[in-house]
Amino acid sequence: MESPLSKDEQYMRMAIDQAYIAEENGDVPIGCVIVYEDRVIARAYNQREQLNDPTAHAEIIALTQAAEYIGNWRLNGCTIYVTLEPCPMCAGALVLARLDRLVYGTDDPKTGAVRSLYNIVQDPRLNHRLEVTSGILADDCRAQLQAFFHRRRFEKDEV
């Protein structure tokens, strides 16, 4: 008998679903959800292409939604689930928003700011640190991104 998905896996599946929406809109498939008291309070996906905004990363959009829901910019008690290791901008925003926990799918060796290149979210010199869990549904998250970029390269070669 197959074991049921853990809560982390359930929420990461929701983030993956958001990433598909980004992809459908022509953006890099990165998705995110924020959970507070076992409730999803924010769902977002990359919208840089759609909004023509370099800051429209899934995490930034979700942080805005969560702060609006809670009525405070301090997101204590929240966990963010994101399909790709956050970049420096997003990692910094997570620290500033004071989330309790970050759960991400796959590492980002080019811009990852949690473990790959930097460790912004656990830097002892900053005023806040997040608990980090990585590798949740990493194969699924990685495969989604790789397929997207493979298609992009293929389409570019055909032009």
Side-chain angles (χ1 to χ4, degrees):
M1 182 173 180
E2 209 173 298
S3 66
L5 290 176
S6 72
K7 283 200 183 253
D8 283 349
E9 291 170 330
Q10 290 174 22
Y11 292 129
M12 187 61 72
R13 285 261 171 245
M14 292 179 192
I16 290 170
D17 290 344
Q18 291 297 302
Y20 280 115
I21 298 170
E23 187 170 5
E24 289 169 4
N25 288 301
D27 217 319
V28 177
I30 299 169
C32 170
V33 299
I34 297 179
V35 175
Y36 178 68
E37 296 179 346
D38 287 325
R39 286 189 317 270
V40 174
I41 63 168
R43 300 172 196 265
Y45 52 89
N46 265 15
Q47 296 183 47
R48 293 181 309 167
E49 299 296 333
Q50 192 175 354
L51 299 176
N52 235 2
D53 179 353
T55 67
H57 289 205
E59 299 96 320
I60 301 300
I61 295 167
L63 288 172
T64 300
Q65 292 173 5
E68 186 174 321
Y69 177 88
I70 289 177
N72 196 321
W73 63 267
R74 293 175 191 86
L75 299 179
N76 303 98
C78 292
T79 298
I80 187 166
Y81 293 84
V82 63
T83 57
L84 182 67
E85 177 183 6
C87 71
M89 175 183 70
C90 293
L94 299 180
V95 170
L96 294 173
R98 297 189 172 103
L99 287 98
D100 287 1
R101 185 166 176 246
L102 161 65
V103 179
Y104 71 88
T106 191
D107 293 332
D108 184 353
K110 292 185 179 183
T111 64
V114 176
R115 298 246 163 92
S116 296
L117 298 178
Y118 310 102
N119 189 354
I120 292 172
V121 301
Q122 293 181 325
D123 190 319
R125 297 169 295 181
L126 299 175
N127 67 329
H128 180 77
R129 284 164 288 295
L130 283 78
E131 176 188 331
V132 176
T133 303
S134 62
I136 302 297
L137 301 178
D139 292 340
D140 294 349
C141 295
R142 186 180 315 105
Q144 185 181 30
L145 285 159
Q146 288 174 336
F148 173 80
F149 285 112
H150 177 77
R151 279 191 303 279
R152 276 265 173 100
R153 282 190 295 278
F154 181 76
E155 291 166 0
K156 197 178 280 186
D157 288 344
E158 287 204 337
V159 173

